[in-house]
Amino acid sequence: MIKSIAVIGTGTMGRGIAYLSALAGYDTYVHDVETAALDGAQAWLESTLRKGVEKNKVTEEAAREAIGRVQMVPDLEPAVRQADLIIEAVPENLELKRELFAQADLFCAEEAILASNTSSISITELASNVERRDRFIGMHFFNPPHVMKLIEIVRGERTSDETVADTRAVAQKMGKTPIVVRDVPGFATSRLGVAIGLEAMRMLEEGVASAEDIDRAMELGYNHPMGPLRLTDLVGLDVRLGIAEYLSSTLGPRFEPPRLLRDLVDAGKLGQKTGEGFYKWEKS
Ligand code: CAA
């Protein structure tokens, strides 16, 4: 039974996953190669739990207990050694992730499960460096993780039924609804989401409508909570470009990133996190 979780990486996704893990009652070990990032993650967890209490989403007691379950761990080995489930949320780079999993595989307990929050990279390929391929799985969270209801569980070629069942149980304990998909490029969600996002960018390039009106088309015409361009700003243009490049190399030219996306990324306009993408954002 899973009682403790290690979260590797403290970007937007890692922090959010740590938040869910601690609130769901798991002892939570958070690691990042940049030690300074751990302070930022701790501060984010505390302020987001406070916001959760203010918004009546979380009780004071649950927030206090959750923060007591979190430990920031500067070294990888002690972080993963203590965990029953290791969730990786480092940047979307195949070699970086493969290297991390190879190390985690050596350090962690025999029964531990290794999970990747990748939004598009093949789970089978990520598992190729580890011994425990039956206990290797995709656990794809959505941004912002503490709000979005879905976890996409991705089953690699060798992932066992037991690993799927254990991961599904964790997702449910985190208050999420899991779906289970086969390990194909982009899984279900990124393939659909990126297809709409790239088409919206091509429409902007062609002058079909303004960014605001393209977004409104999906917000008001299809009841999407956020249009595809605003959503790309939220997710990060660099993240979307990385996924599009991977999908175009695996699924074909229909996922070729538009020139506009490459130009904005080259200009450092990565969306909300840098203050500008398709829109201008107040820096938080
Ligand atoms: N604890 C703490 N804070 C909470 C909370 C909780 N349990 N629940 C909500 N909040 C916070 C929210 O973070 C939000 O904070 P900010 O005002 O600082 O943003 C605030 O309370 C309001 O939350 P609401 O639930 O009232 O949500 P909203 O109506 O403002 O909608 C939204 C926000 C849910 C993000 C909505 O705009 C939305 O659904 N947008 C689309 C998001 C989306 O599609 N995400 C998927 C991206 S794709 C992806 O992630 C895949 C990938 O791999 C790249």
Side-chain angles (χ1 to χ4, degrees), residues 177-246:
T177 300
I179 58 168
V180 180
V181 305
R182 206 156 58 74
D183 185 22
V184 292
F187 317 133
T189 53
S190 298
R191 189 160 158 180
L192 285 170
V194 169
I196 295 177
L198 297 181
E199 199 54 32
M201 292 169 211
R202 283 190 276 266
M203 287 163 64
L204 188 62
E205 279 180 340
E206 290 165 18
V208 173
S210 65
E212 286 84 355
D213 280 356
I214 290 171
D215 278 344
R216 264 182 218 127
M218 296 313 281
E219 287 160 9
L220 303 182
Y222 282 74
N223 259 2
H224 287 197
M226 197 179 265
L229 298 171
R230 199 178 298 281
L231 182 58
T232 303
D233 272 10
L234 176 80
V235 169
L237 274 67
D238 51 337
V239 175
R240 281 245 145 141
L241 175 61
I243 301 174
E245 279 173 338
Y246 180 71

Side-chain angles (χ1 to χ4, degrees), residues 11-284:
T12 310
M13 301 309 287
R15 292 168 180 200
I17 296 167
Y19 176 98
L20 292 170
S21 165
L23 262 184
Y26 297 106
D27 291 331
T28 303
Y29 305 102
V30 182
H31 168 74
D32 197 293
V33 277
E34 286 188 40
T35 313
L38 295 177
D39 293 338
Q42 180 77 32
W44 183 89
L45 281 170
E46 288 170 12
S47 71
T48 308
L49 281 166
R50 265 199 307 278
K51 191 192 277 181
V53 172
E54 279 160 24
K55 292 191 163 285
N56 284 328
K57 308 266 185 191
V58 181
T59 65
E60 290 239 13
E61 192 188 359
R64 199 176 43 251
E65 286 177 3
I67 213 68
R69 289 190 197 102
V70 180
Q71 272 184 51
M72 298 292 155
V73 188
D75 293 315
L76 179 69
E77 181 173 354
V80 302
R81 197 174 350 98
Q82 308 177 70
D84 303 317
L85 169 65
I86 291 102
I87 306 177
E88 163 277 315
V90 304
E92 204 68 349
N93 175 306
L94 175 65
E95 277 322 306
L96 178 69
K97 287 179 192 276
R98 271 162 50 94
E99 180 55 33
L100 174 72
F101 280 123
Q103 285 187 47
D105 192 31
L106 292 177
F107 299 146
C108 68
E110 202 175 320
E111 293 308 312
I113 294 175
L114 296 175
S116 175
N117 176 52
T118 180
S119 43
S120 61
I121 300 176
S122 159
I123 292 304
T124 306
E125 217 174 317
L126 282 176
S128 61
N129 252 3
V130 307
E131 293 292 325
R132 63 186 77 219
R133 296 185 196 164
D134 57 326
R135 272 164 288 128
F136 196 103
I137 198 158
M139 207 177 176
H140 182 200
F141 293 77
F142 296 83
N143 185 5
H146 60 290
V147 181
M148 302 300 284
K149 294 280 175 251
L150 183 71
I151 293 182
E152 184 175 42
I153 293 176
V154 185
R155 182 175 197 139
E157 261 168 30
R158 305 261 303 269
T159 310
S160 69
D161 289 346
E162 200 184 341
T163 301
V164 173
D166 288 349
T167 308
R168 195 195 274 273
V170 170
Q172 282 164 338
K173 207 167 162 201
M174 287 178 171
K176 306 294 178 186
T177 300
I179 58 168
V180 180
V181 305
R182 206 156 58 74
D183 185 22
V184 292
F187 317 133
T189 53
S190 298
R191 189 160 158 180
L192 285 170
V194 169
I196 295 177
L198 297 181
E199 199 54 32
M201 292 169 211
R202 283 190 276 266
M203 287 163 64
L204 188 62
E205 279 180 340
E206 290 165 18
V208 173
S210 65
E212 286 84 355
D213 280 356
I214 290 171
D215 278 344
R216 264 182 218 127
M218 296 313 281
E219 287 160 9
L220 303 182
Y222 282 74
N223 259 2
H224 287 197
M226 197 179 265
L229 298 171
R230 199 178 298 281
L231 182 58
T232 303
D233 272 10
L234 176 80
V235 169
L237 274 67
D238 51 337
V239 175
R240 281 245 145 141
L241 175 61
I243 301 174
E245 279 173 338
Y246 180 71
L247 293 185
S248 68
S249 71
T250 48
L251 294 177
R254 67 189 192 274
F255 286 99
E256 181 58 37
R259 183 76 258 157
L260 176 61
L261 178 60
R262 290 192 189 282
D263 288 348
L264 287 169
V265 171
D266 286 347
K269 294 179 180 172
L270 307 183
Q272 191 176 28
K273 61 189 169 190
T274 58
E276 189 172 349
F278 294 101
Y279 294 89
K280 286 203 162 55
W281 297 82
E282 300 260 315
K283 282 213 175 130
S284 52

Side-chain angles (χ1 to χ4, degrees), residues 4-17:
S4 53
I5 296 181
V7 181
I8 314 301
T10 57
T12 310
M13 301 309 287
R15 292 168 180 200
I17 296 167

